[in-house]
Amino acid sequence: MHLTDLRGRRVAVWGTGREGVAAVNAIAPVGPADLVAVMDRETYAAKPWEGRLAELAPLYTGPAALEMLLRADVVVRSPVIGETHPWMIQLRERGVTVAGGTALWMADHAAATIGVTGSKGKSTTTVLISHLLTSLGHAHEVGGNIGTAVLDLPPADRYVLELSMYQCADLTVSPQVVALTALVPEHLDWAGGEAAYYRHKLNIVEHNPGQVVFNAHDERLATELAARPGLPLFAAGRPETTHVATGPDGTRWVHLADVPLFPRSALPLLGRHNEWNLCVALGVLKSVGVDLVAERDRLAEAAASFPALEHRLTPIEDPSGITFVDDSLSTIPQSAIHAIEAYAHRPLTVIVGGEDRGVDYTPLRDFLAEEGVEATLIGVPDSGPRILEMVKDLPMITTIAADDLVEAVRIGRANTPAGGVVLLSPAAPSYGRFDNYAHRSRVFRQAITDTAG
């Protein structure tokens, strides 16, 4: 469905955050027969609905909101409106067409779009692709799940989009180049189960992509893609593609097949997962026509100047000699595993816990047990106690419960020696006690200052 297909139809925009605002501003000029906005509940992301917005699309709440949805020809939902929402179930039963703003935009821009998604690593990989393209003089616009909502993006020859599972679910056209970083169970409350989550996430490759670049180190991702024969795959991380290998002198180098490009150390980001993100990003550049071998010197310079993504393994030095690390973007066990792996060689305290969505933390326990990681885990509500219960019998793990994040920082400071690391890698979303991951990060940083003594 294209934006122009909404002309003369009754349209309801469901959600009043940035995506809802962008949708109303994009749909109104098309000339729908009727355009309304609805909100089923107040959220931290809701924007004031007044002035021009209210004139373009009157806002309905409560029972009237459901009534407006059911009488619409097309409902344009914001990404957080899940498949399991009772109103969504009614809309599906009534046969009402449900679309997303990203899907409407993609129908007209897919051929110029690089779409990046994954259960973890998508933000880093999106920004890295953009950084490398900019360094090589390739103009483009960045948006989607980070930055600018797609319906607010200006005209451009190329787009690099981070796409959440929510945004992938409604696509009817695939981006020309799809980049996939990882696949682990997440957002099961939205999707309705693990299999449904994979289906919604990988809907991005179901509509004739030109190239699918994926992290071949992720076994689940490789398995799911193998079950979709005929896709034009680029398996980043394998010896015949972009990968990292150790040379005769022990130095690790980034390669394209058997051709060395530049040392792995050029990219300042820690962890194997960031090696994989880099290989995916380089595979994307190759897919859009960049000669990686000819440009390897400039690519090395660009990688060296890549800034750490805010709230993703961001170190905060402290006069005490302790390094505090902000990994507030860690919302699943697998991202916490990668963070712990990056710092396991130092005395380590990890703050875990957040909104409890019933995620299985067995992979985190298995990693700690199999690798023999020695660390102190401090659990904060709501899921922190459940994580601590799962790991309390591991001989190298010390567990401490805290009432909140501020207390956790205080405990971490008191129990971590100089030269050690206090790592905030919650393995859980922030909602319930914080507005979002950035709010959680601000509280963490303020607590570091307040406990410095």
Side-chain angles (χ1 to χ4, degrees), residues 120-364:
K120 61 181 185 294
K122 59 182 178 294
S123 296
T124 298
T125 304
T126 301
V127 178
L128 182 55
I129 292 168
S130 174
H131 180 75
L132 296 176
L133 287 173
T134 298
S135 299
L136 297 179
H138 293 259
H140 61 282
E141 292 289 334
V142 181
N145 197 48
I146 56 173
T148 305
V150 293
L151 287 171
D152 282 337
L153 286 169
D157 292 332
R158 177 175 287 135
Y159 301 91
V160 180
L161 305 183
E162 178 189 319
L163 299 175
S164 67
M165 180 269 292
Y166 313 125
Q167 293 163 319
C168 293
D170 290 327
L171 295 180
T172 57
V173 181
S174 293
Q176 177 62 21
V177 178
V178 175
L180 301 171
T181 60
L183 192 63
V184 297
E186 193 182 17
H187 303 302
L188 303 187
D189 53 340
W190 188 101
E194 185 172 335
Y197 168 73
Y198 298 153
R199 185 176 69 253
H200 291 308
K201 191 76 164 173
L202 293 180
N203 183 53
I204 193 173
V205 304
E206 298 286 7
H207 309 284
N208 299 314
Q211 183 79 75
V212 177
V213 182
F214 74 100
N215 171 21
H217 293 281
D218 190 293
E219 294 182 3
R220 181 178 281 111
L221 180 55
T223 298
E224 288 289 333
L225 292 176
R228 293 163 169 81
L231 291 174
L233 298 178
F234 181 100
R238 291 182 182 160
E240 68 273 17
T241 65
T242 49
H243 67 282
V244 177
T246 303
D249 62 352
T251 304
R252 292 174 62 74
W253 278 70
V254 181
H255 288 71
L256 174 60
D258 59 353
V259 180
L261 300 177
F262 52 83
R264 159 64 179 92
S265 59
L267 183 70
L269 302 186
L270 300 175
R272 286 186 304 165
H273 62 296
N274 282 317
E275 291 183 3
W276 303 341
N277 293 337
L278 175 60
C279 290
V280 170
L282 291 173
V284 168
L285 263 64
K286 186 176 186 300
S287 298
V288 298
V290 173
D291 187 331
L292 300 183
V293 176
E295 297 286 8
R296 56 186 162 187
D297 291 340
R298 287 210 289 171
L299 288 169
E301 292 176 6
S305 65
F306 183 69
L309 199 64
E310 193 175 10
H311 316 306
R312 173 65 79 204
L313 288 181
T314 305
I316 305 165
E317 299 301 332
D318 187 79
S320 66
I322 298 171
T323 299
F324 291 86
V325 178
D326 177 5
D327 195 36
S328 184
L329 270 170
S330 166
T331 59
I332 55 176
Q334 286 74 14
S335 58
I337 288 169
H338 289 312
I340 293 168
E341 186 178 50
Y343 288 100
H345 61 290
R346 296 169 62 179
L348 181 60
T349 299
V350 188
I351 301 172
V352 296
E355 183 186 20
D356 196 342
R357 293 182 173 176
V359 170
D360 180 11
Y361 286 102
T362 302
L364 176 58

Side-chain angles (χ1 to χ4, degrees), residues 20-168:
V21 171
V24 166
N25 286 329
I27 294 168
V30 170
D34 186 39
L35 178 60
V36 299
V38 303
M39 181 170 62
D40 60 305
R41 62 184 177 88
E42 288 280 356
T43 71
Y44 76 90
K47 306 296 183 185
W49 209 263
E50 55 196 17
R52 180 176 177 275
L53 273 176
E55 293 176 6
L56 293 176
L59 178 62
Y60 292 83
T61 60
L66 177 58
E67 180 182 340
M68 299 308 292
L69 288 175
L70 294 175
R71 69 182 291 272
D73 298 317
V74 179
V75 171
V76 179
R77 63 169 167 175
S78 292
V80 295
I81 309 301
E83 284 293 297
T84 58
H85 193 294
W87 292 5
M88 276 294 298
I89 294 171
Q90 290 189 57
L91 291 172
R92 298 294 192 200
E93 291 174 347
R94 291 280 190 96
V96 176
T97 299
V98 178
T102 300
L104 294 171
W105 182 92
M106 192 70 71
D108 293 316
H109 299 88
T113 299
I114 297 166
V116 185
T117 195
S119 305
K120 61 181 185 294
K122 59 182 178 294
S123 296
T124 298
T125 304
T126 301
V127 178
L128 182 55
I129 292 168
S130 174
H131 180 75
L132 296 176
L133 287 173
T134 298
S135 299
L136 297 179
H138 293 259
H140 61 282
E141 292 289 334
V142 181
N145 197 48
I146 56 173
T148 305
V150 293
L151 287 171
D152 282 337
L153 286 169
D157 292 332
R158 177 175 287 135
Y159 301 91
V160 180
L161 305 183
E162 178 189 319
L163 299 175
S164 67
M165 180 269 292
Y166 313 125
Q167 293 163 319
C168 293

